Amino acid sequence: MAKNTQQNSSFSKGLFSGNPAQILETIEQIRAMGNITVITDLLDLYCVSGDDSVKQAITQCLFDIKNQHAAQIMISAITQKKYTAIKTMLLESMWQSGLDYSNHAQEIILIICNDSFENALEAFTILETIEESLAKHERVHYAEMISLASSTKTSSHKQLLMQAIEMLA
């Protein structure tokens, strides 16, 4: 346990070193090891970094996550105000990683219904990856939620909602 704490501390120091080469090297180490305990550090760095290569490296690292325990961390992140500015990237990384978000279907549905069209589109892609694993009663419930939300949406968002209902039917 002490080794993991020491390693995480080392990763945090590397990520926030201010040295772009060291930051990129640390991100690559995290990516190679599949360490999910520093995801929030990666997200915090993404929010403050002005370096596009650092942001791209973080995005690629998130795309490569294969540890199912990361799903809860990502769901938590998309609900936090401090990550609002990067929510679209977070949602994209969620479907790109291929993790199973079926236990978080309600959160995904709420994004489809209530967020911006861009975020809804990314969440729709997540729904496409999990919809077959949802029980019939869940599918019906979520389709009803989406149907209610569709009455207040504009044409492109409304069309996306109708596609989600059709997918769940």
Side-chain angles (χ1 to χ4, degrees), residues 25-42:
E25 181 180 326
T26 303
I27 294 168
E28 190 53 43
Q29 289 172 355
I30 292 166
R31 186 177 178 187
M33 296 181 78
N35 188 323
I36 65 166
T37 61
V38 293
I39 289 175
T40 54
D41 284 344
L42 288 169

Side-chain angles (χ1 to χ4, degrees), residues 98-110:
L99 296 178
D100 179 6
Y101 285 94
S102 57
N103 289 336
H104 307 284
Q106 180 142 340
E107 291 93 334
I108 302 306
I109 297 296
L110 290 172

Side-chain angles (χ1 to χ4, degrees), residues 13-30:
K13 286 179 186 173
L15 290 173
F16 295 100
S17 68
N19 177 336
Q22 185 177 1
I23 292 168
L24 291 171
E25 181 180 326
T26 303
I27 294 168
E28 190 53 43
Q29 289 172 355
I30 292 166

Side-chain angles (χ1 to χ4, degrees), residues 5 20 27 46 52 55 66 69 72 121 124 153:
T5 303
I27 294 168
Y46 190 101
D52 287 340
K55 288 183 174 188
K66 300 302 177 218
H69 295 292
Q72 183 58 50
L121 186 59
F124 178 86
K153 299 301 177 193

Side-chain angles (χ1 to χ4, degrees), residues 10-119:
S10 175
F11 285 150
S12 292
K13 286 179 186 173
L15 290 173
F16 295 100
S17 68
N19 177 336
Q22 185 177 1
I23 292 168
L24 291 171
E25 181 180 326
T26 303
I27 294 168
E28 190 53 43
Q29 289 172 355
I30 292 166
R31 186 177 178 187
M33 296 181 78
N35 188 323
I36 65 166
T37 61
V38 293
I39 289 175
T40 54
D41 284 344
L42 288 169
L43 301 180
D44 291 343
L45 176 59
Y46 190 101
C47 289
V48 299
S49 179
D51 187 326
D52 287 340
S53 62
V54 167
K55 288 183 174 188
Q56 183 62 34
I58 293 169
T59 301
Q60 290 303 314
C61 185
L62 295 174
F63 286 0
D64 289 346
I65 293 173
K66 300 302 177 218
N67 183 330
Q68 187 57 43
H69 295 292
Q72 183 58 50
I73 297 168
M74 297 301 283
I75 287 292
S76 176
I78 63 171
T79 63
Q80 293 181 40
K81 287 189 187 289
K82 72 178 184 174
Y83 299 129
T84 300
I86 64 168
K87 191 171 188 177
T88 303
M89 182 277 294
L90 289 171
L91 290 164
E92 181 184 7
S93 69
M94 288 167 64
W95 68 261
Q96 287 277 2
S97 70
L99 296 178
D100 179 6
Y101 285 94
S102 57
N103 289 336
H104 307 284
Q106 180 142 340
E107 291 93 334
I108 302 306
I109 297 296
L110 290 172
I111 292 168
I112 293 170
C113 293
N114 301 323
D115 266 38
S116 68
F117 176 74
E118 188 175 18
N119 287 346

